[in-house]
Amino acid sequence: MSDVPARFLRACRREPTDCTPVWLMRQAGRFLPEYRALRARHGFLELCKTPPLAAEVTLLPIRRFAVDAAILFADILLILEPMGVGLEFAKGDGPVIHRPVRTRADVERLARVPASVALPFVLEAIHLVRAELGDRVPLIGFAGAPFTLASYLIEGRGSRHYVHTKTLMYREPQAWHALMERLVEATVDYVRAQVAAGVEAVQLFDSWVGCLGPDDYRTYVLPHMRAALGAIVQTGVPVIHFGTGTGALLELMRAAGGDVIGLDWRVDLAEAWGRLGADVGVQGNLDPVALFAPPDEIHRQVARILERAGGRRGHIFNLGHGVLPETPVAHVAALIDAVHELSAR
Ligand code: 1CP
C-alpha cells in the first residue's frame, strides 16, 4: 500500500492517484465511542491541552478506518484564549467567550502572544502524532479563518443571524478591518508554527462565512483571506480553503486562494468545480446526514459524487461538513471503503 501516504498529498497537488483519497472533517472527535469514553474522564480543553491525549484522539480514526489523512485533534477557538477574552466550553452550550469584542477599544485590548508561547501543547501533540504515524498517513493541521473566528469573538458564542458581527462590520468598518488584521496575523503565525512542528497540509475553516452575500465578502473578508492564504501558501504545504453555504461565494473564495476549495452538499460538485476552474482541487461533498442512511444508499451517493468528479485529478472525498456525533460507526467504515473501491483506477 505504498500509495496510501501519497494519495492525499498528491491529490492536493492535482497529481494522479490510484484512487480518490478520503478523510472526514471532525473524524477525530465526537462520534467515536473511544472518544466519548475519554471525554467522560477529561474536559474538552483538558484533552486539547494534554499532548499525549490530543495525539491519542487524533489517532483513533486512523486505527479504525482506512482514511487517507489524519486531522489534528484541537479546536479553531484555542487561538482566542491567549488573546484574553475568556474562552470556555460550557457543558451542552458549546463554546462561550466571556468578554466578547464589540468596539475598537476591545480590538486594541486583544493580547498578542506568539503561538509557540501560547499554544505549545498543540505543537507538542503534532510532534507526538508524527512520531507515531511516520510517513504512513499524512497529518492535516488547521485553523479558523478570520471571519469565522471574528464571529465567535464578537457574538461570544455560536450564532444564527450574526447580528453583532454584521453590525460591527457595517457600523465600524475600521474596527472590523483592524480585528480581521489581528486575526490574520495570529492565524498565519499559528499555522507557520504547526507546519514547523510537522503538519503536512493545512485546512482553513471558514465554516460560517456563507452567511455573507458576495458584496460583503468582497469588501469585508476577501482582502484578509487573500493576505492569510498568501502567507500560508508560502510555507509550502497544500492549503484547503473550506466554507459552508458558499454557493454564492465560490469564485470569490477561489480568488482569495488555496490549493483546494472545500464544498458542502448544497452545490453540485461538477458545476462548482466548473466555476472554480480546473487549476484548483476540490474537497467534498457528501451530506453528513447521508451517513445515517443504509449502506446501499451511502454507496449510491458516493457513486454519484465520484461520477460528478469524473476521475479528474485533484478531488479529495469528504463530507460537506463535519461528521455528526450520532453517526453509526459502521456506516463511516462503509463510506471509506466505498470511496476507495468505486474510484479505483
Ligand atoms: O464536548 C466535546 O467533546 C467537544 C466537541 C468538540 C470537538 C470534538 C469541539 C467543541 N471541538 C472539537 C474538535 C474540533 N473542532 C476539531 C478537531 C478535529 C476533529 O474533531 O476531527 C476541529 C477541526 C474543530 C473545528 C471547529 N471548531 C470548527 C470548524 C469546523 C466546523 O465544524 O465547522 C468550529 C466552528 C468549531 C467551534 C466549536 N468547537 C466545539 C463546538 C461544539 C463548536 C461549534 C459550536 C457552534 O456550533 O457554534
Side-chain angles (χ1 to χ4, degrees), residues 96-166:
V96 180
I97 301 286
H98 289 296
R99 291 177 292 283
V101 170
R102 300 272 166 90
T103 65
R104 179 78 198 230
D106 293 338
V107 176
E108 302 302 335
R109 220 174 287 126
L110 294 173
R112 272 192 178 87
V113 190
S116 57
V117 176
L119 303 160
F121 45 86
V122 173
L123 309 177
E124 180 54 24
I126 293 169
H127 286 293
L128 294 176
V129 172
R130 282 303 311 276
E132 178 88 18
L133 287 179
D135 290 328
R136 282 189 299 130
V137 182
L139 175 63
I140 305 171
F142 68 90
F147 176 85
T148 292
L149 291 177
S151 77
Y152 283 101
L153 266 184
I154 297 167
E155 303 291 335
R157 55 184 65 241
S159 178
R160 258 171 78 79
H161 299 294
Y162 304 93
V163 172
H164 295 291
T165 306
K166 293 183 183 184

Side-chain angles (χ1 to χ4, degrees), residues 26 87 138 179 220 239 255 258 295 329:
R26 315 299 296 268
L87 170 70
L179 174 60
Y220 298 106
V239 184
V329 174

